[in-house]
Amino acid sequence: MLQLDFYGTLVAASLVLLLGRKIVEWSPPLRNYSIPEPVVGGLLVAVLLLIGRLSFGAEVKFDTGMQTPLMLAFFASIGLNADLASLKKGGRTLVIFTGVVVSMLMMQNIVGIAAASAMGINPLLGLLGGSITMSGGHGTGAAWSTVFSEKYGLASATEVAMACATFGLVMGGLIGGPVARYLVKKVTIPGSERNSDDNPTPFEQPHAVRLITPQVFIETLALIAVSLMAGSALASVLKGTAFELPGFVCVLFIGVVLRNGLSALGLYQVFDRGVSVLGNVSLSLFLAMALMTLRLWELGSLALPMLGILALQASVMALFAIFVTFRVMGKNYDAVVLAAGNCGFGLGATPTAIANMQAVTERFGPSHIAFLVVPMVGAFFIDIANAILIKLFLLLPIYG
């Protein structure tokens, strides 16, 4: 057992990002299919750790204490980037895409329950392999698995949920690029001329040079810190009530309030360049840590029927992105990027969705509306809709 402390884990995550970037640069297939760099580097390390454990009994334990703050900092930057005036421009697209996502959540639960019933296993496992872990990820999976274990007596619910969420996180980062690659052949590629728009979102050009001063950096860092502190406090207040929300949603909400409140009062104008730098750094490091610390051997705890359900979910998600998301969102280049993002948070998490879209737009050109809509839907509306739908599905007669 090799135990890495805070510094060792930070070094490992940084090397994972550099490794992923170099591999993508050297590999035409990875570039052609727009596989995100953190996914490439992180998954490679996770596979090597799996081989080391199975072959030599060796294991590396990382200090994951930074992972949650980095994730929250990423969501805070989404909130600080959410100018309500800009969101109004994408209002119709935001509403339509939210409808698409709600349909996706329903589809995932129907597929999971139907597959579980066809295989003759507990229908709760079908729901657990549905939107709870596919769109909800590890956090939602942990919360609902506790309910399934305590209220419904489902054995090993937490272990199954974590394994399902791990599978989804990996697949969400792998299928978004190929789906976009398939769809982009059907549309006119905007190319570099769309870069003339001088209002890209902070996450749209992760490798672009940002000219900021130390003062701007510190001011942005302070705003993110306030968002984390106030958001965590809000989540604690709401815990156990009918309005309970995941911590990252509360952090994002505080970020929105800070940006727009300070601007409306004329006290301070958030610098998007500072948000861009800190947001992209947080996103990259979080994804690297999340993927390199995956315990892939836990997937072995999934019985064959559950693996079948998850493989079916991944296939259906790709088909949904191609035949529903792409078509409903306009069958244009923006719809391609939205479909890639949909694959990211439909199987993994919002950070995976952003990474998928970055990989696509870096190759084919920017999509401002996609980077405006996906973070808000994937980080805010999807969790609220998912919580409501899960409760409604639990009212079905098969769950007593």
Side-chain angles (χ1 to χ4, degrees), residues 108-285:
Q108 289 179 330
N109 289 330
I110 291 171
V111 167
I113 294 171
S117 300
M119 295 176 184
I121 62 177
N122 192 327
L124 283 171
L125 291 173
L127 198 55
L128 205 57
S131 70
I132 290 177
T133 56
M134 295 295 95
S135 294
H138 289 82
T140 304
W144 281 101
S145 64
T146 301
V147 175
F148 285 6
S149 178
E150 296 177 353
K151 186 175 180 179
Y152 297 93
L154 182 64
S156 302
T158 300
E159 290 78 4
V160 172
M162 293 301 99
C164 288
T166 298
F167 179 93
L169 187 64
V170 172
M171 293 305 299
L174 292 178
I175 72 169
V179 165
R181 169 77 174 178
Y182 171 77
L183 291 174
V184 81
K185 299 175 183 177
K186 303 175 181 294
V187 302
T188 301
I189 300 174
S192 59
E193 66 271 12
R194 279 176 69 170
N195 285 320
S196 59
D197 189 332
D198 59 359
N199 291 308
T201 70
F203 297 105
E204 198 165 352
Q205 301 170 4
H207 295 141
V209 175
R210 315 287 187 184
L211 301 178
I212 65 171
T213 64
Q215 180 179 343
V216 169
F217 186 93
I218 293 172
E219 289 171 352
T220 306
L221 182 62
L223 288 171
I224 289 177
V226 170
S227 298
L228 265 62
M229 181 181 68
S232 299
L234 179 60
S236 298
V237 171
L238 296 178
K239 188 173 183 179
T241 71
F243 303 99
E244 181 175 355
L245 291 170
F248 66 84
V249 176
C250 296
V251 169
L252 182 148
F253 174 74
I254 295 296
V256 173
V257 172
L258 273 178
R259 180 194 177 107
N260 293 278
L262 292 173
S263 177
L265 294 172
L267 298 176
Y268 181 78
Q269 190 68 40
V270 172
F271 289 91
D272 288 336
R273 288 175 296 174
V275 173
S276 172
V277 170
L278 287 174
N280 278 299
V281 168
S282 300
L283 171 64
S284 297
L285 286 174

Side-chain angles (χ1 to χ4, degrees), residues 42-105:
L43 191 55
L44 175 60
V45 171
V47 170
L48 292 176
L49 292 177
L50 172 64
I51 295 172
R53 177 185 172 90
L54 296 178
S55 302
F56 309 106
E59 187 173 347
V60 178
K61 189 171 183 180
F62 298 96
D63 183 342
T64 58
M66 291 180 290
Q67 199 166 316
T68 297
L70 285 169
M71 179 192 70
L72 293 178
F74 162 69
F75 282 107
S77 65
I78 290 178
L80 292 169
N81 176 55
D83 180 9
L84 295 182
S86 298
L87 287 176
K88 289 179 182 178
K89 299 177 184 176
R92 183 174 180 273
T93 304
L94 185 68
V95 172
I96 296 173
F97 192 60
T98 300
V100 169
V101 168
V102 171
S103 300
M104 177 198 71
L105 296 174

Side-chain angles (χ1 to χ4, degrees), residues 282-295:
S282 300
L283 171 64
S284 297
L285 286 174
F286 166 73
L287 279 175
M289 290 184 184
L291 287 160
M292 76 181 190
T293 57
L294 288 179
R295 301 168 66 86

